Amino acid sequence: MSSEEETQQSLPYKVHKSTLKWAPVFNMTILLSIAIISCLIRVFSVIRYESIIHEFDPWFNYRTTQYLVKEGPYALWNWYDSESWYPLGRSVGGTVYPGLMMTSGMIYWVLHKLSIPIDIRNVCVFLAPIFSAFTSLAAYGMTKEITKRSEAGLLSALFVAIVPSYMSRSVAGSYDNEGVSIFALVFTFYTFLKTVNTGSILWGVYTALAFFYMVASWGGYAFIINIIPIFVLFLLITGRSNSRIQVAYNVFYILGTLLAMQIPFVGFQALHSSEHMASHAVFILINFLNFFSWIRNFVSKKAIITLTKFLIVFLVFSILVGVVILTLAGKTQWSGRSLTLLDPTYAKKYIPIIASVSEHQATTWSSFFFDLHYLILFSPVGLYYCYNKPTETKIFGALYTVLGVYFASVMVRLLLVLAPAVSIMAGIGISWAFRKFAKSVRSFILPKIEKPKKYRIPPEISIIGLVILGYYCSIYVLHANFAGSEAYASPSIILSSRDRQGNRNIIDDYREAYYWLRMNTRPDDKIMSWWDYGYQITGMSNRTVLVDNNTWNNTHIATVGMAMASSEEDAFEICEKLDVDYVLVIFGGILNYSGDDINKFLWMVRIGGGVYPHIKEEDYYGKGTYRVDQYATETMTNSLMYRLSYYRFDEVQTAYGQPKGYDTVRQAVIGVKGYKLRHFEEAFTSENWIVRIFKRKQRENRDGVAFTSKSTSQFTIPKEFSPVTKFSKKANTKQRSTLNFQNNE
């Protein structure tokens, strides 16, 4: 028997040959397992708590979906919600991205057609985990288009499936737009790269359809409509453009723009908004170059030079005139969030309502590491792989990662956009390193199979490298499991704590308070709270609120902020003009809950002061700092927020060794104790004092209530606020007027 035949009969050779034979089966089995894991790791919240909608924004999405499945899609387009932004209301059909609701509605209708009875709440709760599986499959396809290697695709799919940043918005119950839009984002990029590789118009149509779903689902579609033109422009500048690129972009741009215009919330903004200008410019440029290239075949060289000068001047002049006209007409204004991405200090200077949102803050290094973990160490290896032998698809992956890093550093919410890019780059980098090490080991075990090369990593070093890479990957998986089971499994509407014995205690104050509102107030009562809780109040209590998380009217929110920052007497007068029946505040001084309204109060002051100049932030600083103790200013202790939050707080012992009235969040004893409320009365306080509800008393039998502060006494309803019809309540005969608020933006 020859040496070659002996090699073929050896056990390592047989194992290697069998592995190659079954590789496609192993590939599909692993990919399916990854998709299943991506779903299972996101259901810890249901196992540990219950099937419930999380956070704040998802409650509006859930309420809208309920309306959709009950009334139908046509009713949704015409739905005017009178329970939000009282007395303005909200035209829901024209101010919402309907993709999430339509997806849930379609699943609900299909399941019921198949005689599978399921509540719409469970469809909404489990929608994001299901779509996370689709995202991992799309990431596999996108990585394979970049590298042409399935092992890199499998690693990328695994990393995307369990990356904590994506998990934070896609756990069971997190019924927000990002739950489906991240899939739409990755799938759009996959189909676009497929079009770039094949030059197929059909795949270009698929790209436009995927982009249409992205536009219908989330305002983050602006990232796609800018990164693809930047990619095409980069290829034009570097001389890498070809017919496949032109087909891919033209089909995507034309069909994508037309389809985007079909979403009522977008409409003609797809043509004149600043976020879309880059796509228009690149479309004009790429077709101008095509026209110029074609016409060169029919004219002389001298005529070409003259024509080139004329067309360049004409093109630049036309673009400038168009931009100037649209700007003067107010059609190309950048949104506040977009300007914040370009200038991180913009929102803090000019739009405090945007700066007050925690997810709009700049990303810290701790957030980067917790949400991406070791992927931020491996992704540079993937970038090196892409830049080493660049192709069109590798350049796109690198540009996506670099731009994603910038935007994610400016706004913590955009870590969601960066997570797929970093996962794909890390998958490419680790698979490349694994392949290098594995070849070295394989050449040592099977020397007849692997052809010798001039340089090969020693097998000992390769084994050590494989062990190190495997160790770091396992640590990443364990961290992702912790993030899914602990960090992001707790719904904000249900809190939990552990005692000294490790037993878990459920804190259900939010639902307790909302249920009290639903059962103990009249259907037409108006609730005033800070905008954070508006969606939850309307969704769970079915009561009318003045402001909510849509934050479209800064004047409306500033008026609520002014009421909270004013004295009790002044706040009573404002609340009566606003037709408020109950005031809801969140207080964490007993349970050490730092996300309460006292900690948010300065933002109420800043936003209110932006519209009503008599509210000055410095009036709420005692000895140069924001405090609630004996050094707090009189303006602070007289404010409605302070008096409602700390009412009867001096009767409670909150910490061992501390006097009554000790605030565990601010770590100070309150400065004013034993006061009585004159114009408000306590209606409900939850078990742990987190939610406190106060009822506005009726006006006493006298002519009026005088303002205590001179500046507030000059407060008049803004011009856009006009009284409308008066009406009487069933419980009393006093008439009250409502206010007709108009948008101040």
Side-chain angles (χ1 to χ4, degrees), residues 109-171:
W109 290 321
V110 169
L111 291 177
H112 275 253
K113 285 293 183 182
L114 297 175
S115 300
I116 303 176
I118 185 171
D119 187 73
I120 186 61
R121 173 175 55 85
N122 288 320
V123 174
C124 298
V125 166
F126 291 101
L127 183 70
I130 293 172
F131 266 78
S132 68
F134 298 154
T135 306
S136 62
L137 298 178
Y140 170 82
M142 181 177 172
T143 307
K144 199 169 180 182
E145 290 301 318
I146 294 175
T147 63
K148 307 300 182 183
R149 308 195 71 92
S150 58
E151 65 271 18
L154 290 175
L155 279 171
S156 298
L158 174 63
F159 292 156
V160 169
I162 61 176
V163 63
S165 177
Y166 179 34
M167 220 184 306
S168 67
R169 291 301 185 113
S170 58
V171 295

Side-chain angles (χ1 to χ4, degrees), residues 183-201:
F183 158 73
L185 175 81
V186 179
F187 189 70
T188 302
F189 288 155
Y190 160 64
T191 53
F192 179 74
L193 293 183
K194 190 75 173 180
T195 312
V196 168
N197 283 331
T198 62
S200 169
I201 294 178

Side-chain angles (χ1 to χ4, degrees), residues 353-375:
I353 185 64
I354 293 178
S356 68
V357 181
S358 59
E359 63 186 19
H360 294 163
Q361 305 302 314
T363 310
T364 61
W365 277 111
S366 60
S367 297
F368 264 113
F369 188 74
F370 185 86
D371 281 347
L372 301 175
H373 208 245
Y374 284 136
L375 298 184

Side-chain angles (χ1 to χ4, degrees), residues 60-235:
F60 168 76
N61 299 329
Y62 173 55
R63 180 165 167 258
T64 305
T65 307
Q66 285 181 308
Y67 187 89
L68 171 67
V69 298
K70 182 180 179 181
E71 304 294 339
Y74 290 105
L76 176 63
W77 302 133
N78 300 315
W79 181 26
Y80 193 82
D81 182 15
S82 60
E83 291 187 357
S84 62
W85 292 93
Y86 177 82
L88 292 175
R90 176 183 177 184
S91 178
V92 176
T95 59
V96 70
Y97 292 102
L100 178 71
M101 300 83 172
M102 287 295 183
T103 303
S104 299
M106 289 295 295
I107 294 173
Y108 176 82
W109 290 321
V110 169
L111 291 177
H112 275 253
K113 285 293 183 182
L114 297 175
S115 300
I116 303 176
I118 185 171
D119 187 73
I120 186 61
R121 173 175 55 85
N122 288 320
V123 174
C124 298
V125 166
F126 291 101
L127 183 70
I130 293 172
F131 266 78
S132 68
F134 298 154
T135 306
S136 62
L137 298 178
Y140 170 82
M142 181 177 172
T143 307
K144 199 169 180 182
E145 290 301 318
I146 294 175
T147 63
K148 307 300 182 183
R149 308 195 71 92
S150 58
E151 65 271 18
L154 290 175
L155 279 171
S156 298
L158 174 63
F159 292 156
V160 169
I162 61 176
V163 63
S165 177
Y166 179 34
M167 220 184 306
S168 67
R169 291 301 185 113
S170 58
V171 295
S174 184
Y175 186 57
D176 211 345
N177 294 328
E178 293 89 336
V180 299
S181 58
I182 296 301
F183 158 73
L185 175 81
V186 179
F187 189 70
T188 302
F189 288 155
Y190 160 64
T191 53
F192 179 74
L193 293 183
K194 190 75 173 180
T195 312
V196 168
N197 283 331
T198 62
S200 169
I201 294 178
L202 181 61
W203 277 104
V205 173
Y206 292 155
T207 304
L209 292 174
F211 177 67
F212 171 65
Y213 185 66
M214 178 66 181
V215 176
S217 301
W218 190 34
Y221 77 88
F223 185 76
I224 295 178
I225 203 62
N226 282 280
I227 190 174
I228 290 180
I230 291 173
F231 163 69
V232 174
L233 182 63
F234 180 84
L235 294 183

Side-chain angles (χ1 to χ4, degrees), residues 614-687:
H614 69 270
I615 301 176
K616 295 179 173 56
E617 184 178 346
E618 55 268 21
D619 293 340
Y620 298 85
Y621 288 125
K623 289 196 170 183
T625 59
Y626 178 63
R627 55 202 311 162
V628 298
D629 57 10
Q630 59 181 331
Y631 299 108
T633 63
E634 184 179 357
T635 305
M636 176 67 185
T637 56
N638 285 337
S639 66
L640 181 67
M641 176 58 66
Y642 188 98
R643 294 180 70 81
L644 297 188
S645 295
Y646 290 116
Y647 179 66
R648 294 195 306 107
F649 186 59
D650 56 305
E651 302 172 7
V652 183
Q653 184 85 34
T654 60
Y656 179 76
Q658 297 291 344
K660 292 183 178 180
Y662 179 77
D663 188 332
T664 57
V665 176
R666 269 63 60 175
Q667 297 184 353
V669 180
I670 59 173
V672 179
K673 301 179 180 180
Y675 57 84
K676 300 295 181 183
L677 298 176
R678 180 180 177 187
H679 301 291
F680 296 87
E681 59 182 351
E682 185 179 8
F684 175 82
T685 296
S686 60
E687 180 182 359

